Amino acid sequence: MAENSSDQPSSSWTFLTHHARVLLEIAHDPQARLRDIAAVIGITERAAQGIVTDLHQAGYLTRAKVGRRNHYTINPDQHFRYPTEAGVPIGVLLDIFARHDQALHVGQRR
């Protein structure tokens, strides 16, 4: 657990799951290697592989072999799994982070 300024243990939770983070990394680079995705997120390559398998089996992405690498295609129309967000396509999440990335790049050019 992380420590806060009063030396009391604090929770180390985050808003996004590893599944969401893997999906966002793939959206950022559809040809990313699993080891690179895992390194960015801070999980093992095996965990990243399991998450990609989950996402593939649930219809969130497809994968195709291009040479020696996998190329991933995300299905942005696939809906979130949790009942309260089941009517929302994951493309909404992807758009939020794509806009954020664009804003960062514009700010860096100024």
Side-chain angles (χ1 to χ4, degrees), residues 71-86:
H71 179 83
Y72 302 98
T73 303
I74 295 175
N75 176 5
D77 297 324
Q78 186 74 4
H79 289 222
F80 284 93
R81 293 172 51 119
Y82 199 75
T84 57
E85 294 88 33

Side-chain angles (χ1 to χ4, degrees), residues 14-97:
T14 63
F15 281 103
L16 299 177
T17 65
H18 287 149
H19 281 68
R21 292 179 189 282
V22 167
L23 191 68
L24 290 169
E25 285 301 314
I26 289 171
H28 181 72
D29 181 3
Q31 295 183 60
R33 297 178 305 175
L34 289 175
R35 79 174 57 151
D36 297 331
I37 292 170
V40 167
I41 295 170
I43 60 176
T44 66
E45 188 174 343
R46 186 176 191 118
Q49 181 179 18
I51 290 169
V52 167
T53 297
D54 288 346
L55 294 170
H56 178 258
Q57 289 175 347
Y60 289 95
L61 58 83
T62 57
R63 52 186 164 193
K65 202 73 159 164
V66 177
R68 294 179 58 186
R69 287 191 133 163
N70 283 323
H71 179 83
Y72 302 98
T73 303
I74 295 175
N75 176 5
D77 297 324
Q78 186 74 4
H79 289 222
F80 284 93
R81 293 172 51 119
Y82 199 75
T84 57
E85 294 88 33
V88 180
I90 62 163
V92 172
L93 176 72
L94 300 174
D95 288 345
I96 289 169
F97 282 89

Side-chain angles (χ1 to χ4, degrees), residues 1-12:
M1 279 194 187
E3 295 285 327
N4 63 23
S5 60
S6 64
D7 293 329
Q8 296 294 322
S10 64
S11 174
S12 61

